Each structure stands twice: as C-alpha cells, then as structure tokens.
Amino acid sequence: MVQPLPLVRDSGPTRLKPIEYDLTPFAGLLNDGRPHQVDVSVVGVPEGQTGWSTPVNVLVWQEAKRAHVSGALTEARAGDLANSSAYTPGSENRLDTEGGHRLTVAGYVDTSHGRVETTVSRTLANTSVHRWTDGENTDGLEATWTDDETVTVDGRGPVRTTRTHRTYAMDGTTTLGADDRLRTVLTLGDRATVVETRAGRRTMWSRFDDSYTGDATYTANVPRDQRHAVGTTSERYRLYGSAGCHDRSLTTVQGVLTEDRGGCGDS
C-alpha cells in the first residue's frame, strides 16, 4: 500500500511549466482503500469545450515500513470566488478585471515514525487591463497573476514551513499602422520566491526570475513574400539561492541566435 503525498501537475500539450498542487492533507482520505478520481477543470469553461487540456499526473511516495498508512482530512475551507469587471467606453475602450480565490486544507497521516500533520493554504489573485480602439488598430493587455502558498508540516522533528510566492505578468500590445504594418510587442514575466524554515529558522531559500521580451512586425493584407517580417526576442533565466545559482541570457534576431551569455553576477 502507499502513503500518498501527491502533487497534481497540469501540463498541457504545449511545453509549459506544470502547475503543482500539494494534496498531502488528502493523503489519509486517498489511502482508505476506495477508488478516487482527481479532476482538474478551468473555472467558467463548459465541460468538453475544445481548446483546453488539463491532463493530470499524481506523484505518490510510499511508506517504507508500513503496509498501510491511515489518516484523515481535518479541514477543507474554500473562500468565495472573487470576480469583477468594469467596462469604460471611449476613444480607447477599457476593461478592468479582478479575480481571486482562497483555499485552506489540513490533514494527517499516522506513519511508522508517528503522526504527521500537514496544512496547505493557497491564495490566488489576478488583475488585468484590456485596452483597444475602435477597429482594434490598437489592442493591448496588461495582466498580473499572483499565487501565494504556505505549507506547514508538523510531525517528526521541528515544525517545517515552506512559503512560496509566485508572480506571472504579461504586457502586450498589437498595433496596425496606416501603412498596414502590424506590430506586436510582448513582455512576459515568471517569478517565484521560496523560503523554508524549521522551528522558525531559515533552512533554505531560492529565487526564480524568467523574463521574456519580443517585438515582431510585418505588412498585413499582402502575399507572404511581400510581408517583410522582422522580429527580435530576448530572454533571461535566473535561479539562485542557498543551493547556488544559474543565470543565462539569450537573444535572437530574425530567428537566429545572436547572443548566449551565462554567469552568476550580482542579482
């Protein structure tokens, strides 16, 4: 039998970093000998609608010294889903949207080295501003998503707490000029900080920062060989902390890599 300490990973058909959900508080419930089904869905999207794919992988750790590990879910509290939007018409139309959700779950498992209690709290929030002109000659979106998670494990040894703050940002604008030159400028950011403490003392930390910028232009409404497309991209990937660091920058022009620089300088 198994002691599930699973993470659900949502990784679609594109090469996106999976989203992880810590289901450890459900371990005792999932290990009760009955069949269970874990589903992931997109809020507001009807079931079966094309264009969305949420396959699930569950990672499970086994108890080495016990054939069966019992436990229970002791708390499952979900906050109300926050969702609001405000539309402002004008020469530049504007739509402001905010959303958020909170979840706290707790549970325990009785392992071979005693009872282990786990509490997971997670808060999600999103703000976005969509601006566009009549005819959509200018169309832009600026948005930020935050994901704050706290996992506390109380069992063998000092209490361990892991706090993770994730931020995803997007700022993109598409414009169509009088000469039919279509230009898209896009900036993406993926950042995260992780701090682990035991008995209140920091034992591990890391910081992740992946930033991307792109600028592409071509002439619309003409045959492909007359579009005269140009494009540049740049990305910097940094991961550093108590375990060391990795820092790499890439630049492309017209799809050709023009810069590949690595190092771990001042952050």
Side-chain angles (χ1 to χ4, degrees):
M1 300 298 290
V2 298
Q3 171 194 348
L5 301 175
L7 297 172
V8 175
R9 298 195 172 199
D10 169 17
S11 53
T14 56
R15 294 184 177 182
L16 300 176
K17 185 172 65 175
I19 300 174
E20 298 181 352
Y21 298 90
D22 191 339
L23 301 182
T24 304
F26 297 93
L29 176 65
L30 294 173
N31 201 32
D32 61 2
R34 301 177 182 179
H36 298 277
Q37 181 173 333
V38 178
D39 291 321
V40 176
S41 61
V42 180
V43 174
V45 177
E47 184 177 356
Q49 180 170 321
T50 59
W52 294 91
S53 178
T54 54
V56 175
N57 294 323
V58 180
L59 307 183
V60 179
W61 282 260
Q62 289 184 300
E63 163 65 72
K65 298 181 180 180
R66 236 177 224 189
H68 178 263
V69 176
S70 60
L73 179 69
T74 58
E75 180 183 6
R77 178 164 39 91
D80 295 331
L81 181 65
N83 184 16
S84 64
S85 60
Y87 169 61
T88 305
S91 57
E92 183 181 70
N93 303 290
R94 173 171 174 152
L95 180 65
D96 292 80
T97 303
E98 294 184 359
H101 202 200
R102 293 186 177 184
L103 174 68
T104 299
V105 289
Y108 68 87
V109 286
D110 291 320
T111 71
S112 59
H113 53 265
R115 176 165 293 187
V116 178
E117 300 176 351
T118 302
T119 302
V120 177
S121 298
R122 198 155 183 173
T123 302
L124 306 176
N126 163 248
T127 59
S128 66
V129 179
H130 183 192
R131 297 183 177 91
W132 71 97
T133 58
D134 292 339
E136 297 184 357
N137 289 336
T138 299
D139 194 345
L141 176 66
E142 182 178 0
T144 301
W145 296 262
T146 58
D147 181 354
D148 291 287
E149 181 183 42
T150 300
V151 179
T152 302
V153 179
D154 187 1
R156 184 180 183 182
V159 176
R160 183 176 78 250
T161 301
T162 304
R163 291 182 173 87
T164 305
H165 173 70
R166 306 175 181 92
T167 302
Y168 311 94
M170 171 183 175
D171 188 356
T173 303
T174 297
T175 55
L176 182 63
D179 56 355
D180 271 354
R181 287 295 285 179
L182 183 69
R183 182 185 184 189
T184 299
V185 180
L186 179 65
T187 301
L188 301 174
D190 185 357
R191 300 174 179 87
T193 58
V194 181
V195 177
E196 179 185 286
T197 61
R198 291 178 183 264
R201 300 184 61 181
R202 190 174 74 172
T203 54
M204 184 277 291
W205 71 276
S206 68
R207 181 171 295 176
F208 167 72
D209 188 342
D210 186 5
S211 58
Y212 167 90
T213 59
D215 190 337
T217 307
Y218 72 92
T219 302
N221 304 316
V222 297
R224 181 178 292 274
D225 60 355
Q226 300 176 26
R227 292 180 181 177
H228 305 297
V230 296
T232 61
T233 68
S234 63
E235 181 174 10
R236 185 178 184 185
Y237 180 103
R238 289 179 289 172
L239 177 62
Y240 51 96
S242 53
C245 75
H246 176 79
D247 188 345
R248 190 162 187 182
S249 298
L250 301 174
T251 302
T252 68
V253 178
Q254 299 297 88
V256 177
L257 183 65
T258 60
E259 181 184 35
D260 185 349
R261 179 168 49 87
C264 284
D266 294 335
S267 57

